[in-house]
Amino acid sequence: MTCTNNVTELVIAGLFQDPEMQKVCFVLFLSMYLATVVGNGLIIVIVSVSKSLRSPMYFFLGCLSLVEICYSSSVVPKFITDLLAKVKTISLKGCLAQIFFFHFFAVAEILLLVVMAYDHYVAICKPLHYMNIMSCQLCHMLVAGSWLGGFIHSIIQVLITIPLPFCGPKVIDHYFCDLHPLFKLACKDTFVEGGIVLVNSGLISLFSLTILVSSYTIILFSLRKRSAEGRRKALSTYASHITVVILFFGPAIFIYMRPSSTFTGDKLVAVFYTVITPTLNPIIYTLRNAEVKITMRKLWGKKENSGMGQ
């Protein structure tokens, strides 16, 4: 028995069904999305215009902020507008596009975090050779590689999804389009496709976590040889990165490193890494980074002086 693809539009179940709760979520998540765009955009501007933040670490931080904006924008604007809609719909092509961009930017962010961990390793363990190793050319190649890795991962996810026949039902049990909820709507067994997704996502996560854990283990052993003050400064600088890694990897592993389930809790976990984490990242980096805070004060002081001069 063959199934033809006669579904062109999907209905999104959403996060909550209560209208009052949806209105509260609209205000809350709209505020958080605006904070994500403004906060990460501010970091991009600061890194771009400040001459004191020209090191590879801040170049990668600016790139990470750009990816955060794109990553959040692939899901949150549609999610926010749907909160006020009586019927939440998306075309099948739009759903596939959302899956592509969501996974593209998510993996690009994961690989950028790995790149930043490597930068930290070189800065701590090979300080005398740091500028030679982390050349401008290598930094640009590493960032380009993270984007390429995200593209390859995402195109695989979409290519295994496009051939699936969808003949009803057409209600996707999530607040945005993702692979496992979409697979449940296919009118064929998706065990193979689910396995490919698990392996694809699992290999990237395992590779990234291995490098991250290895780099920070080496860094911690290296710091034992330094003075107490040196250890404090180094740990203070890199604690922000470790915090972001935990906030991003924890929920993502919970969702993608296991077979799909029907737990409503998956939606709440997804809210954490699609809405909350991108909002927290600029706060984490600015509050724990003295150089960024000093640069922000200088730029703000110049703005006030120029305003008074007019």
Side-chain angles (χ1 to χ4, degrees):
M1 180 177 177
T2 58
C3 298
T4 56
N5 194 344
N6 57 15
V7 173
T8 58
E9 190 176 66
L10 299 169
V11 177
I12 299 174
L15 189 61
F16 300 108
Q17 300 304 317
D18 180 27
E20 293 302 316
M21 179 63 75
Q22 291 191 52
K23 290 178 183 177
V24 172
C25 288
F26 174 80
V27 175
L28 176 63
F29 294 143
L30 176 61
S31 302
M32 296 185 75
Y33 176 66
L34 292 175
T36 296
V37 175
V38 172
N40 285 289
L42 185 61
I43 289 178
I44 294 171
V45 171
I46 289 172
V47 171
S48 300
V49 302
S50 175
K51 294 181 180 179
S52 61
L53 303 179
R54 295 298 187 191
S55 68
M57 179 177 72
Y58 294 108
F59 170 70
F60 294 136
L61 179 57
C63 293
L64 180 67
S65 295
L66 176 60
V67 173
E68 287 279 21
I69 293 174
C70 297
Y71 168 69
S72 184
S73 298
S74 67
V75 171
V76 180
K78 169 67 175 166
F79 169 45
I80 292 172
T81 54
D82 280 346
L83 287 170
L84 298 181
K86 290 185 178 179
V87 181
K88 307 166 180 54
T89 60
I90 188 171
S91 67
L92 182 58
K93 291 181 179 178
C95 185
L96 291 172
Q98 189 176 63
I99 289 172
F100 173 82
F101 286 110
F102 173 70
H103 283 266
F104 174 35
F105 294 122
V107 171
E109 178 169 350
I110 288 173
L111 297 179
L112 260 178
L113 290 172
V114 172
V115 167
M116 293 174 76
Y118 174 70
D119 174 65
H120 298 159
Y121 159 75
V122 176
I124 290 289
C125 300
K126 301 180 183 294
L128 298 178
H129 304 284
Y130 177 74
M131 293 311 297
N132 290 330
I133 296 174
M134 300 304 296
S135 64
C136 183
Q137 182 181 7
L138 178 63
C139 290
H140 284 91
M141 286 176 61
L142 290 172
V143 171
S146 68
W147 286 78
L148 178 61
F151 177 80
I152 293 172
H153 163 81
S154 192
I155 203 69
I156 292 172
Q157 308 288 61
V158 171
L159 286 177
I160 65 171
T161 308
I162 288 175
L164 292 176
F166 298 97
C167 48
K170 60 177 185 178
V171 178
I172 186 165
D173 187 21
H174 215 304
Y175 64 88
F176 70 99
C177 282
D178 205 0
L179 291 162
H180 290 311
L182 186 60
F183 284 171
K184 293 174 184 176
L185 306 186
C187 49
K188 63 163 283 190
D189 181 60
T190 57
F191 177 80
V192 174
E193 287 80 4
I196 294 172
V197 169
L198 186 64
V199 171
N200 189 12
S201 301
L203 285 176
I204 291 174
S205 300
L206 186 61
F207 166 77
S208 303
L209 276 175
T210 300
I211 294 179
L212 287 167
V213 172
S214 300
S215 65
Y216 282 109
T217 301
I218 295 171
I219 287 172
L220 288 174
F221 273 103
S222 178
L223 287 176
R224 293 193 308 171
K225 302 175 183 178
R226 298 199 173 189
S227 63
E229 180 65 17
R231 286 197 300 270
R232 187 191 63 79
K233 287 183 178 180
L235 289 174
S236 176
T237 301
Y238 303 128
S240 302
H241 183 261
I242 297 173
T243 305
V244 170
V245 167
I246 294 171
L247 287 174
F248 190 87
F249 269 87
I253 288 173
F254 175 80
I255 296 292
Y256 295 105
M257 288 289 285
R258 61 185 177 86
S260 61
S261 68
T262 56
F263 295 135
T264 307
D266 285 10
K267 296 182 186 181
L268 300 177
V269 174
V271 167
F272 193 85
Y273 64 76
T274 56
V275 182
I276 299 174
T277 300
T279 306
L280 293 176
N281 285 357
I283 299 173
I284 293 169
Y285 277 113
T286 53
L287 289 180
R288 296 192 63 89
N289 193 298
E291 290 185 59
V292 172
K293 288 190 287 186
I294 291 170
T295 303
M296 288 178 67
R297 291 194 197 101
K298 288 181 179 178
L299 291 175
W300 187 256
K302 288 181 180 179
K303 183 179 179 181
E304 288 184 339
N305 292 333
S306 62
M308 293 174 63
Q310 292 175 358

